Amino acid sequence: MNIIETKNLTKTYNKNRGIDNINISVNEGEIYGFIGPNGAGKSTTIKTLLNFIYPTSGSGTIFGLDIVKDSSKIKENIGYVPSEVKYYDSVKVKGIMKYAQSFYPNVSDEDLSKICIDLELDMEKKMGELSLGNKKKVAIAQALIQNPKLLILDEPTNGLDPLMQKKLFNILVEEKKKGNTVFLSSHNLNEVQNLCDRVAVIKEGKIVDVIELEKATKTLGLKITLVSKDINEEIILNIGGKILNKSKENNSFIFLYYKDTNSLIKELSKYNVEELLIEKENLEDTFLNYYEDKGDEK
Ligand code: ADP
């Protein structure tokens, strides 16, 4: 059974586009990313899945249950972290966490303190004293409290420092190991590419692709930036380079290369090269350029 399944899920705000015929299937136990720029429709999809807003047309299920009719039942097994977290300033972290615990009779004090220690929450601080990142940590702790079968996180890395982001990703991998499913949105594919099993790319309200990351990462080539007075476009094309950018003025090229690295080095060593930078091809550049190109063709 798919944990999340949508069929032509559509939401318009008056006449304006929110999301347009979204079809996604999220398997049990996977970490599924939902990637797109601001305004693409990520939050609208999530809010519709959680029945915070009604679909204009189309339908969806979570755990095989209808997202509108069965929403209360569905929510018993979901942990959700919104993109913007808001709390009363005067309440202490301890108060928030105890309140969250009170909804779940099976959650012991030990369970609660383990989560709070893992996320390094300062229980005595008032919410008004916390930075955005620390408020977000409280929301994440609340979402994890009852060991939900499905975690839905809307832009969870916003406001988190790199260390905390790493910690969060470790927690999400642990959730996956327990057999739980994670659905998270992000505007940055690079940030989540090592975490997710698959990502759906959303652009202007529509799903434009679903990428299996392990497969996609294996096919990545090298991105070469070079400066040389001796090297021209023809030479780069002859060695099999796909030119992304060139500047005659600076004698520079940026190109992608998918063949044998030794041959590349041998070829380039025939010329006087002033600067050379060899990097792994960037998944986000590759996919997002592709979608932008497609958009321009229309
Ligand atoms: P994302 O989460 O990817 O940044 P959103 O789902 O918030 O995108 O927004 C998708 C589109 O729906 C945008 O064009 C946005 O302006 C519009 N939208 C979102 N919420 C509302 C709302 N409450 N009223 C009107 N339009 C909205």
Side-chain angles (χ1 to χ4, degrees):
M1 180 188 67
N2 288 321
I3 293 291
I4 302 176
E5 176 99 49
T6 67
K7 279 204 188 105
N8 297 328
L9 197 64
T10 297
K11 171 74 188 173
T12 51
Y13 295 102
N14 294 319
K15 281 190 182 141
N16 296 327
R17 188 265 304 161
I19 50 169
D20 184 2
N21 286 292
I22 296 283
N23 291 301
I24 48 171
S25 307
V26 179
N27 301 325
E28 185 162 16
E30 75 174 327
I31 302 184
Y32 193 96
F34 201 46
I35 309 298
N38 290 335
K42 302 179 297 295
S43 294
T44 300
T45 306
I46 288 175
K47 285 179 193 161
T48 313
L49 287 173
L50 292 168
N51 203 34
F52 297 154
I53 51 179
Y54 290 118
T56 309
S57 60
S59 61
T61 59
I62 295 182
F63 313 129
L65 301 167
D66 185 86
I67 54 170
V68 178
K69 281 194 296 211
D70 306 316
S71 186
S72 305
K73 184 87 197 130
I74 289 170
K75 288 192 186 108
E76 286 173 15
N77 288 300
I78 286 189
Y80 165 62
V81 181
S83 60
E84 281 170 36
V85 292
K86 293 196 179 96
Y87 291 97
Y88 290 116
D89 283 348
S90 57
V91 185
K92 282 188 177 173
V93 175
K94 189 164 65 181
I96 301 270
M97 291 309 297
K98 281 276 170 200
Y99 182 62
Q101 184 191 16
S102 71
F103 287 88
Y104 306 105
N106 298 337
V107 176
S108 65
D109 288 348
E110 288 72 43
D111 295 335
L112 182 75
S113 68
K114 182 175 180 311
I115 291 169
C116 297
I117 290 168
D118 280 354
L119 281 159
E120 297 166 16
L121 299 188
D122 187 342
M123 304 298 271
E124 297 304 325
K125 278 259 160 72
K126 286 186 178 161
M127 294 307 292
E129 297 169 333
L130 299 185
S131 65
L132 170 66
N134 282 327
K135 281 185 187 151
K136 199 119 197 187
K137 281 197 321 192
V138 177
I140 293 166
Q142 276 186 286
L144 287 168
I145 201 165
Q146 103 283 28
N147 186 24
K149 281 194 200 140
L150 171 63
L151 258 178
I152 297 184
L153 308 108
D154 196 354
E155 298 270 3
T157 54
N158 266 3
L160 292 189
D161 61 50
L163 258 181
M164 207 51 237
Q165 180 180 313
K166 198 161 169 235
K167 193 156 258 175
L168 170 66
F169 284 7
N170 288 341
I171 289 172
L172 299 182
V173 169
E174 285 307 310
E175 288 302 305
K176 177 184 151 100
K177 281 188 192 153
K178 285 191 234 163
N180 294 329
T181 308
V182 178
F183 183 89
L184 83 162
S185 74
S186 174
H187 57 269
N188 188 339
L189 176 56
N190 286 333
E191 200 172 81
V192 298
Q193 74 179 61
N194 293 326
L195 172 73
C196 296
D197 298 293
R198 290 192 296 159
V199 297
V201 182
I202 179 167
K203 194 183 170 197
E204 292 167 12
K206 290 192 168 76
I207 301 288
V208 287
D209 206 350
V210 177
I211 309 167
E212 287 187 32
L213 286 169
E214 205 182 315
K215 237 190 205 168
T217 314
K218 271 188 194 147
T219 61
L220 289 180
L222 298 175
K223 181 178 167 188
I224 321 279
T225 306
L226 76 77
V227 179
S228 166
K229 284 192 192 97
D230 297 349
I231 296 182
N232 59 29
E233 193 166 339
E234 202 185 338
I235 294 171
I236 292 175
L237 295 176
N238 279 342
I239 58 176
K242 185 181 159 212
I243 296 174
L244 294 178
N245 211 319
K246 58 186 172 184
S247 160
K248 252 194 174 154
E249 230 173 82
N250 304 325
N251 305 309
S252 70
F253 288 95
I254 301 177
F255 63 96
L256 296 175
Y257 180 80
Y258 297 94
K259 295 186 182 166
D260 171 48
T261 311
N262 283 322
S263 316
L264 173 78
I265 292 167
K266 266 184 210 150
E267 279 303 315
L268 293 183
S269 68
K270 292 179 190 163
Y271 306 94
N272 183 31
V273 175
E274 286 142 53
E275 279 179 35
L276 177 65
L277 174 67
I278 302 181
E279 302 165 277
K280 191 88 185 152
E281 181 185 357
N282 180 310
L283 198 61
E284 169 136 332
D285 281 355
T286 303
F287 276 95
L288 297 195
N289 283 342
Y290 170 74
Y291 302 124
E292 269 156 29
D293 292 350
K294 288 263 153 181
D296 295 342
E297 277 166 25
K298 274 179 210 160

